[in-house]
Amino acid sequence: MSSVKEIISDPTLTYSQQVLALARLAENNDDFLPLEPAFEQALKDETLCDLGEGRAPYRPRYILPDYRILMEKGSAFLGLHAPKDIWEATNALLIMYKHVPSITSFPVYLGNFTDLFEPFDVDEQETKKALGLFLLHIDKTLTDSFVHANIGPRDARVNRIILDLTKEMQLAIPNLTLLYDPQVTSDAFAKACIDCMLATSKPSFANDVMYRKDDMGEYGIASCYNALKIGGGGYTLPRMRLYNVAAQAKDIQDFMEHVLPSYTQLLLRNMDMRIRYIVEESNFFTTNFLVQEGFVKRENFTGMFGVVGLAECCNYLLGIHDPQQGFGHNKKAEALGIRIMEALQMMIKNHHGVYCEGYKNTYVLHAQVGIDSDGRENSPGARIPIGTEPNLYEHITFESKFHTYFVSGIGDIFKFDDTWNHTPDALLDIIKGACSSGMRYFTGYNADNDVVRVTGYLVKKSEIEKLDRQQVSMNNVTVFGQGARNTAHALDRRIYDESARK
Amino acid sequence: MCRNCGKCIETCPVQALSMKHAQVVWNMDICIDCDACIKTCEYLASPKIMYMSVEELVDRIKKERFFIRGITVSGGECMRQASFLKSLFIEVKKMGLSCLIDTNGYYDFEEYRELLALCDGVMLDVKGVDEAFHKQITGCDNRVVLKNLAFLLAQGKLEEVRTVILPNREEENLKTLEYVSTRIQNKSRYKLIKYRKFGVRQEGIEAFGDTTISDMEMQKYKSICEGNGNHSCVII
């Protein structure tokens, strides 16, 4: 069957999913962006991966508009004046969201709701009604779980309204993150977030203290857990499958001295080329209203260097066959992991990135969460593999050692049983401990939830079951959840319950 | 305490117990917490124990100190190790963590003033106020328990009191929670624990059955406590 025919006859695709799939097909059939033969070979042997960015990228992968400009000035292109009340504010944002491009064609960043809505929260009941409709509208039209909003770090009544609605509505979209600073975020607000997180797998906690120390300036959390500049974003996110790269090496020395540097330089050169193409060939940075009206600035974008499979890479190079004795449980694997990350970080720092002045002309490391086709050979980023998780505090302290390297995002998911519902204080202690251990991003959910976090994004288990029955699911991401469940056992992360002492 | 008879080694389904140098050794890593060993033991002991020095335990706590506000020592009955607790608490306090004691109340705290000064609070079981009833369910006298209740309250060291609410024992339940709640009022948390059959020995099941108590009944007991001024009463 032709690829076009396959898309138009697939019973599990909605109409808008078909349109997107057809557009992607066209985009990926073009071969305008030149690729080095070595890069094409690397794509084939799965050492490197372009994460579906194809050969004709016509927008940055992730865009984080500064929506405060819309609130202050409106938009000439959209014909919107500055909103005066909660109805105008939510309406203006919903209009603008539909004009923010991304790799998924849905906006991956919706702004900081605390800052955007607090000035308009005059009457509690009216705010609740407006935001309830706003969230429903998002779930039904921005049908993609990489759509992501932020709240915090400070508390405001509008936060509590959003948490109440989130808990009540049980929707997978949007993804939600609390920018958490224990000095600014009250314990009461943090506990309300925990209560909501256990019930509906969001919000997650981003370590605001750590992200501010990176000196990135104002940042937002977009897509899965990608930390990028507000008014900027990420041009591209290709990634290295470290396990597959390790398999090309004779031994550790060969890996460190030849194989890793050669693949790293190959990927960096591809990023340069791709970014030049987006900036110089596509019309985004010359004609898009986001640029023309100052919602984003070109210099606030950078390239993201993605990594998966650090655990399996270390285990392979050390000849460890039992993952229970490997990365996460083993000093040698830990030391090798640090050595690899130091080397990667150094090579990326020494590379002069193109069109990323706001990032001091460097690209940033990103612990990619994996894609459904990765299977179990490459765990997300620097995570301990599923099924080999140590006890909760060891899990957190071990992984935190790797979080420092990934300034554009890394995190892990912790699955809890229902006894934690009664002890939000205990979970808050753990999140505070995770933050002071150097963990950038902590997220959790209750094992019994319908809305669950797969590797970084949210899906409904009931929606995956629809796909299993060959029915459609409105959320574009449900299919990734289905794949990750089937091939990577992504929903089987250890449940932290009473046996967690081990 | 374990007498190293080794009977539990035979009933452990995952071979987490073994005999080394005439002592039963527990392998925590492969244990599945099924408690077959505890059910097997004729001396009401547990083989799920390990011997640690204060230094070893402090090292273990240090690893987790970012994730906790304090420690609670429990048991068995931790007051059997009162002098160990004293040395432990001195070290744990240096880490800026709090120390709580979880006890059945059979040890008279008036005689452990130094330990009490080091600890931040005591979590006390009051299983029954009626003397005969307490004797019947525990085989022990409750005078020291009630003395401790009064003494710890007066010292400001009562962190919480726990009472298991039993099915079909309304009279005893009421007597105990009236006594406790009127005394502690808002000075301490009061946990009303729903009787559950899990972990109850055969004699217990024969005496109290394998049923539990309805949420409605528990709420009724809770409102009685609240009526007596104990607003930090929680149902577990």
mmCIF file of all heavy atoms in Angstrom, chain A residues 303-321:
data_model
loop_
_atom_site.group_PDB
_atom_site.id
_atom_site.type_symbol
_atom_site.label_atom_id
_atom_site.label_comp_id
_atom_site.label_asym_id
_atom_site.label_seq_id
_atom_site.Cartn_x
_atom_site.Cartn_y
_atom_site.Cartn_z
ATOM 1 N N GLY A 303 20.447 24.997 19.822
ATOM 2 C CA GLY A 303 20.299 23.605 19.413
ATOM 3 C C GLY A 303 20.380 22.700 20.630
ATOM 4 O O GLY A 303 21.132 22.955 21.566
ATOM 5 N N MET A 304 19.572 21.656 20.622
ATOM 6 C CA MET A 304 19.565 20.720 21.751
ATOM 7 C C MET A 304 20.195 19.400 21.307
ATOM 8 O O MET A 304 19.772 18.800 20.324
ATOM 9 C CB MET A 304 18.130 20.498 22.224
ATOM 10 C CG MET A 304 17.470 21.787 22.706
ATOM 11 S SD MET A 304 15.673 21.646 22.708
ATOM 12 C CE MET A 304 15.436 20.613 24.143
ATOM 13 N N PHE A 305 21.197 18.991 22.061
ATOM 14 C CA PHE A 305 21.930 17.760 21.769
ATOM 15 C C PHE A 305 21.320 16.656 22.639
ATOM 16 O O PHE A 305 21.492 16.650 23.853
ATOM 17 C CB PHE A 305 23.417 17.971 22.094
ATOM 18 C CG PHE A 305 24.331 16.862 21.656
ATOM 19 C CD1 PHE A 305 25.204 17.046 20.588
ATOM 20 C CD2 PHE A 305 24.345 15.640 22.323
ATOM 21 C CE1 PHE A 305 26.074 16.033 20.185
ATOM 22 C CE2 PHE A 305 25.205 14.627 21.925
ATOM 23 C CZ PHE A 305 26.066 14.823 20.856
ATOM 24 N N GLY A 306 20.570 15.762 22.042
ATOM 25 C CA GLY A 306 19.845 14.744 22.807
ATOM 26 C C GLY A 306 20.664 13.485 23.041
ATOM 27 O O GLY A 306 21.484 13.095 22.216
ATOM 28 N N VAL A 307 20.419 12.877 24.191
ATOM 29 C CA VAL A 307 21.137 11.663 24.574
ATOM 30 C C VAL A 307 20.137 10.656 25.131
ATOM 31 O O VAL A 307 19.275 11.019 25.933
ATOM 32 C CB VAL A 307 22.172 12.004 25.681
ATOM 33 C CG1 VAL A 307 22.701 10.742 26.333
ATOM 34 C CG2 VAL A 307 23.325 12.828 25.112
ATOM 35 N N VAL A 308 20.224 9.408 24.701
ATOM 36 C CA VAL A 308 19.490 8.325 25.374
ATOM 37 C C VAL A 308 20.447 7.159 25.614
ATOM 38 O O VAL A 308 21.478 7.031 24.952
ATOM 39 C CB VAL A 308 18.272 7.787 24.569
ATOM 40 C CG1 VAL A 308 17.137 8.794 24.530
ATOM 41 C CG2 VAL A 308 18.664 7.360 23.156
ATOM 42 N N GLY A 309 20.071 6.323 26.581
ATOM 43 C CA GLY A 309 20.778 5.049 26.759
ATOM 44 C C GLY A 309 22.112 5.120 27.478
ATOM 45 O O GLY A 309 22.967 4.261 27.268
ATOM 46 N N LEU A 310 22.288 6.113 28.372
ATOM 47 C CA LEU A 310 23.555 6.164 29.113
ATOM 48 C C LEU A 310 23.733 4.889 29.952
ATOM 49 O O LEU A 310 24.824 4.327 30.030
ATOM 50 C CB LEU A 310 23.609 7.414 30.013
ATOM 51 C CG LEU A 310 24.902 7.597 30.801
ATOM 52 C CD1 LEU A 310 26.088 7.816 29.868
ATOM 53 C CD2 LEU A 310 24.808 8.771 31.789
ATOM 54 N N ALA A 311 22.636 4.419 30.557
ATOM 55 C CA ALA A 311 22.711 3.227 31.413
ATOM 56 C C ALA A 311 23.218 2.018 30.630
ATOM 57 O O ALA A 311 24.174 1.342 31.032
ATOM 58 C CB ALA A 311 21.331 2.926 32.009
ATOM 59 N N GLU A 312 22.572 1.757 29.500
ATOM 60 C CA GLU A 312 22.922 0.571 28.720
ATOM 61 C C GLU A 312 24.325 0.701 28.119
ATOM 62 O O GLU A 312 25.030 -0.287 27.956
ATOM 63 C CB GLU A 312 21.880 0.329 27.625
ATOM 64 C CG GLU A 312 20.523 -0.117 28.154
ATOM 65 C CD GLU A 312 19.666 1.008 28.710
ATOM 66 O OE1 GLU A 312 20.073 2.185 28.613
ATOM 67 O OE2 GLU A 312 18.588 0.706 29.257
ATOM 68 N N CYS A 313 24.705 1.940 27.774
ATOM 69 C CA CYS A 313 26.044 2.195 27.232
ATOM 70 C C CYS A 313 27.098 1.808 28.274
ATOM 71 O O CYS A 313 28.051 1.079 27.964
ATOM 72 C CB CYS A 313 26.137 3.683 26.878
ATOM 73 S SG CYS A 313 27.782 4.275 26.537
ATOM 74 N N CYS A 314 26.922 2.261 29.506
ATOM 75 C CA CYS A 314 27.899 1.961 30.563
ATOM 76 C C CYS A 314 27.939 0.452 30.828
ATOM 77 O O CYS A 314 29.013 -0.134 30.936
ATOM 78 C CB CYS A 314 27.540 2.695 31.849
ATOM 79 S SG CYS A 314 27.706 4.473 31.690
ATOM 80 N N ASN A 315 26.760 -0.157 30.947
ATOM 81 C CA ASN A 315 26.715 -1.591 31.223
ATOM 82 C C ASN A 315 27.400 -2.385 30.116
ATOM 83 O O ASN A 315 28.151 -3.329 30.378
ATOM 84 C CB ASN A 315 25.268 -2.074 31.386
ATOM 85 C CG ASN A 315 24.631 -1.548 32.662
ATOM 86 O OD1 ASN A 315 25.321 -0.984 33.518
ATOM 87 N ND2 ASN A 315 23.325 -1.717 32.802
ATOM 88 N N TYR A 316 27.159 -1.982 28.868
ATOM 89 C CA TYR A 316 27.747 -2.697 27.733
ATOM 90 C C TYR A 316 29.270 -2.591 27.763
ATOM 91 O O TYR A 316 29.979 -3.592 27.649
ATOM 92 C CB TYR A 316 27.194 -2.132 26.418
ATOM 93 C CG TYR A 316 27.848 -2.737 25.194
ATOM 94 C CD1 TYR A 316 27.403 -3.949 24.682
ATOM 95 C CD2 TYR A 316 28.923 -2.099 24.571
ATOM 96 C CE1 TYR A 316 28.022 -4.523 23.576
ATOM 97 C CE2 TYR A 316 29.541 -2.663 23.467
ATOM 98 C CZ TYR A 316 29.093 -3.876 22.970
ATOM 99 O OH TYR A 316 29.703 -4.440 21.880
ATOM 100 N N LEU A 317 29.766 -1.353 27.934
ATOM 101 C CA LEU A 317 31.220 -1.157 27.885
ATOM 102 C C LEU A 317 31.931 -1.872 29.033
ATOM 103 O O LEU A 317 33.081 -2.272 28.909
ATOM 104 C CB LEU A 317 31.556 0.339 27.909
ATOM 105 C CG LEU A 317 31.207 1.121 26.630
ATOM 106 C CD1 LEU A 317 31.390 2.616 26.850
ATOM 107 C CD2 LEU A 317 32.060 0.651 25.447
ATOM 108 N N LEU A 318 31.224 -2.032 30.156
ATOM 109 C CA LEU A 318 31.840 -2.702 31.308
ATOM 110 C C LEU A 318 31.580 -4.212 31.294
ATOM 111 O O LEU A 318 31.983 -4.932 32.204
ATOM 112 C CB LEU A 318 31.319 -2.102 32.614
ATOM 113 C CG LEU A 318 31.772 -0.659 32.913
ATOM 114 C CD1 LEU A 318 30.931 -0.041 34.014
ATOM 115 C CD2 LEU A 318 33.248 -0.636 33.290
ATOM 116 N N GLY A 319 30.878 -4.672 30.273
ATOM 117 C CA GLY A 319 30.585 -6.101 30.182
ATOM 118 C C GLY A 319 29.632 -6.589 31.268
ATOM 119 O O GLY A 319 29.691 -7.744 31.688
ATOM 120 N N ILE A 320 28.736 -5.698 31.713
ATOM 121 C CA ILE A 320 27.765 -6.096 32.744
ATOM 122 C C ILE A 320 26.514 -6.626 32.042
ATOM 123 O O ILE A 320 25.857 -5.891 31.297
ATOM 124 C CB ILE A 320 27.404 -4.894 33.647
ATOM 125 C CG1 ILE A 320 28.654 -4.379 34.364
ATOM 126 C CG2 ILE A 320 26.312 -5.268 34.643
ATOM 127 C CD1 ILE A 320 28.479 -3.023 35.020
ATOM 128 N N HIS A 321 26.198 -7.889 32.271
ATOM 129 C CA HIS A 321 25.051 -8.469 31.576
ATOM 130 C C HIS A 321 23.773 -8.393 32.394
ATOM 131 O O HIS A 321 22.680 -8.397 31.844
ATOM 132 C CB HIS A 321 25.349 -9.924 31.188
ATOM 133 C CG HIS A 321 26.533 -10.031 30.283
ATOM 134 N ND1 HIS A 321 26.541 -9.484 29.014
ATOM 135 C CD2 HIS A 321 27.769 -10.563 30.472
ATOM 136 C CE1 HIS A 321 27.719 -9.689 28.456
ATOM 137 N NE2 HIS A 321 28.486 -10.337 29.322
#
